């Protein structure tokens, strides 16, 4: 069954997963993670679409992941979405590892990081 569960990553929509994550991590809309200025227009659209933006105020580069729990995570949006879902459901490390296609050590690491961030 776990082999079948590992297909979940391929079955879900990356854009939908990213949209969910962006809304959860940036509930007030996109802001520059460096100076806090609100993003608007094309920058807000690019930020929400996963693009890299350069702040008009501080001139620094960022994405929706910058300054969040998922900054520099080598996982795609689908894996991150599934990680959040499975961690919130208190699934086992073995299940998270299988579904998210992570090593058991990485699944353990992420489960703890997410649990700590959510408390
Ligand atoms: Zn800025």
């Amino acid at each position: 069954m776990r082999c079948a569960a590992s297909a979940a990553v391929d079955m879900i929509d990356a854009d939908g997963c990213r949209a969910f994550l962006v809304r959860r991590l940036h509930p007030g809309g996109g802001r520059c993670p460096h100076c806090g200025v609100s993003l608007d227009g094309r920058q807000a659209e690019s930020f929400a679409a996963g693009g890299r933006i350069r702040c008009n105020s501080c001139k620094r580069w960022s994405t929706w992941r910058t300054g969040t729990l998922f900054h520099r995570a080598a996982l795609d949006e689908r894996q991150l979405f599934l990680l959040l879902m499975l961690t919130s459901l208190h699934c086992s490390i073995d299940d998270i590892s299988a579904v998210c296609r992570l090593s058991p050590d990485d699944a353990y690491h992420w489960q703890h990081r997410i649990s700590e961030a959510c408390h």
Side-chain angles (χ1 to χ4, degrees):
M1 196 61 185
R2 283 199 179 120
C3 288
S6 71
V9 169
D10 294 326
M11 303 298 288
I12 59 175
D13 176 60
D15 291 340
C17 290
R18 186 184 52 254
F20 173 85
L21 293 164
V22 168
R23 281 194 308 271
R24 283 290 300 259
L25 294 169
H26 306 282
R31 289 185 173 274
C32 171
H34 306 291
C35 72
V37 71
S38 289
L39 305 175
D40 57 10
R42 278 185 34 206
Q43 280 195 323
E45 289 173 21
S46 181
F47 186 84
R52 191 166 167 251
I53 58 110
R54 185 168 190 237
C55 176
N56 289 331
S57 180
C58 72
K59 309 300 181 197
R60 295 178 70 185
W61 291 93
S62 64
T63 71
W64 67 271
R65 295 186 189 211
T66 305
T68 74
L69 175 66
F70 302 127
H71 186 62
R72 300 190 191 282
L75 305 175
D76 69 25
E77 289 89 349
R78 300 167 305 169
Q79 290 173 297
L80 295 175
F81 175 80
L82 291 169
L83 261 171
L84 273 182
M85 294 300 110
L86 298 177
T87 298
S88 71
L89 294 170
H90 307 288
C91 291
S92 71
I93 296 297
D94 287 343
D95 287 343
I96 293 172
S97 170
V99 172
C100 298
R101 297 180 184 164
L102 300 172
S103 70
D105 284 349
D106 284 346
Y108 177 83
H109 163 80
W110 278 108
Q111 183 195 46
H112 278 262
R113 283 194 73 187
I114 291 169
S115 294
E116 286 174 11
C118 293
H119 287 129

